[in-house]
Amino acid sequence: MPAVPAQSGPPRPPDGSPVPQSGFGAPRNAPPAPGAAPRRTAWAEGADRLRAAATTEPGRLRIIGAVLALLVVAFGAVTAWQMTERSAAADNVLHSSQPLSASAADIYRSLADANTTASSGFLAGGQETQDTRDRYERDIRTAAAKLITAANSSEPGSSSARTISQLNELLPEYKGLIERARANNRQGYPLGGAYLRYANEKMQHEMLPKAKQLYDRENQRLSADYADAKPYPWAAIALGLVALGALAWAQRRNYRRTNRVLNQGMASATAASVVVLLWLVVGHSVARAGLSESYDHGVRSLNVLHQAQIASLKARGNENLTLVSRGAETKTLADKTSVDLYDYDFGQDMKALTRRLAEAADLADDRSGTEPVQTATSNMEEWKRRHGDAREADNLGKYQLALDRVIGTADKKPTGQCFDGVDQNLGIALTHEESEFQRAASDGLGAMTGLPAGAAVLAVLAAAGAVLGIGRRLSEYR
């Protein structure tokens, strides 16, 4: 009989099928045998173990401890997040948006004052004083410096950045026109008046509207920062109440099962959570009150005073141009009456100034804010009376007398004295209201100081206390 060759490896089945590759008699990754239960997922098995653990008191305690720690940590995290955002917005109000709004107002005021001073110097002709010249140059330098500050604070490519760039281009053009007007005026050429009117048109119709746009945008940014800083952090407050409710329930459960009144860990967690919640509510309420005061008695007054100052500057410029143009520019009213353009605009500006001074008096909340506004109002009333005298003299053909009543020396009681009184007293009121804003806004920001970091630290301590308190109970089962 021939020899049978030896086989290597396990013997083949009688039917010649392949030898299984697994030591368990089935190929790897083979489908389950018919009728066998499918393998369960890790998630399902974990859920079963959790349900099984929840049927025992130690398992329940572990779950309660995890939920308490999670709630307290979430409370601290949301508190830190929301208060960080509000603190940043309050800081922007104090150190960014309001100062930029004030800078934009200074740009407008400097440009308007330069235009007014230039017309006053033009009327003086060869008698232009050094003080008038210095004031004009100072206004131009201030406007240029404030434009640089605003450019550094604006976002590249934004509408504010484009407006600032346009003003930077227009400023040297305006200066050139003023210098031509002065040069012609010193030589007695009538062309000087035309250059001055052209410079005034460039200022009134191009530069000041753009400066007003910049001021409005910065005010909108300031309002947006207030809107971000003042709302209550309701999400954090709600989480704090839920966390305290869960801690109270856990301690009541512990008392009912063990008859022990105090669990030191959970009591510490409750105390820390109460501190965070009280700090959150009281601190934000104080901050909100400070910010509201800074807006009501600071920003609102500043806006009205800026508008009053601008109205007085425009009125003074139009008063001067009335004498410069000598009736060359007219305006036709709705009743077909023809009036001097600049004198008509002067009347409109004085109406605006009257309204703004009345609003500023209503908003002033102390003597230091009220007195300069009242003095400015008295100066304005005298200004109106003296302007009427100057217009009467001009209409009678007494140009030199009218000129003396507008830009003359102190003994001739010119309207310029009244304008200077209005401008100086408005400046005093602005300084006072600025300090009021700084004080109230600083108090509001100070009430938020340390709250985000403090809430996070106390929340971690509260979570640790809750875990230790549950751990104390678990140790009794070992």
Side-chain angles (χ1 to χ4, degrees), residues 113-191:
D113 192 60
N115 196 49
T116 298
T117 306
S119 61
S120 296
F122 185 91
L123 284 174
Q127 305 299 318
E128 181 180 9
T129 64
Q130 187 61 39
D131 288 343
T132 301
R133 180 77 182 188
D134 291 343
R135 179 171 177 170
Y136 168 80
E137 294 294 343
R138 185 169 58 251
D139 286 333
I140 294 296
R141 287 196 301 271
T142 300
K146 294 292 184 179
L147 283 171
I148 292 173
T149 302
N152 292 334
S153 303
S154 62
E155 297 181 4
S158 65
S159 55
S160 293
R162 289 192 295 271
T163 300
I164 293 168
S165 177
Q166 291 166 353
L167 283 171
N168 277 321
E169 293 174 1
L170 290 169
L171 189 59
E173 295 178 13
Y174 172 81
K175 284 191 65 179
L177 291 171
I178 292 296
E179 293 307 320
R180 290 179 186 177
R182 281 176 170 162
N184 282 276
N185 189 44
R186 282 194 295 268
Q187 298 178 55
Y189 296 155
L191 189 59

Side-chain angles (χ1 to χ4, degrees), residues 72-142:
V72 173
V73 169
F75 170 42
V78 173
T79 298
W81 163 55
Q82 289 197 307
M83 293 312 299
T84 297
E85 286 190 337
R86 283 156 177 76
S87 180
D91 186 75
N92 286 338
V93 165
L94 181 60
H95 298 119
S96 178
S97 51
Q98 196 281 328
L100 286 174
S101 175
S103 292
D106 286 341
I107 291 171
Y108 194 111
R109 182 197 175 282
S110 298
L111 292 174
D113 192 60
N115 196 49
T116 298
T117 306
S119 61
S120 296
F122 185 91
L123 284 174
Q127 305 299 318
E128 181 180 9
T129 64
Q130 187 61 39
D131 288 343
T132 301
R133 180 77 182 188
D134 291 343
R135 179 171 177 170
Y136 168 80
E137 294 294 343
R138 185 169 58 251
D139 286 333
I140 294 296
R141 287 196 301 271
T142 300

Side-chain angles (χ1 to χ4, degrees), residues 53 87 101 107 111 117 120 139 150 156 161 190 205 230 233 264 267 296 302 337 385 389 395 411 468:
S87 180
S101 175
I107 291 171
L111 292 174
T117 306
S120 296
D139 286 333
H205 299 136
K230 290 174 64 176
Q264 293 180 347
D296 293 335
L302 287 170
T337 304
R385 188 186 67 77
D389 293 341
N395 291 334
D411 60 312
L468 290 174

Side-chain angles (χ1 to χ4, degrees), residues 254-339:
N254 181 57
Y255 170 72
R256 294 182 64 184
R257 289 177 177 270
T258 65
N259 207 30
R260 294 172 181 167
V261 176
L262 182 66
N263 180 293
Q264 293 180 347
M266 284 193 285
S268 299
T270 303
S273 298
V274 168
V275 169
V276 173
L277 186 59
L278 287 176
W279 190 2
L280 172 64
V281 174
V282 175
H284 189 270
S285 296
V286 173
R288 181 186 174 92
L291 290 171
S292 296
E293 183 182 355
S294 73
Y295 184 82
D296 293 335
H297 301 296
V299 173
R300 289 180 62 196
S301 294
L302 287 170
N303 287 340
V304 171
L305 289 169
H306 281 307
Q307 291 166 2
Q309 199 169 47
I310 289 167
S312 70
L313 288 166
K314 292 174 70 175
R316 179 59 176 173
N318 283 316
E319 183 178 48
N320 291 338
L321 286 167
T322 302
L323 294 177
V324 171
S325 67
R326 299 191 182 187
E329 300 287 342
T330 59
K331 177 183 179 67
T332 302
L333 303 180
D335 59 359
K336 307 301 182 181
T337 304
S338 181
V339 296

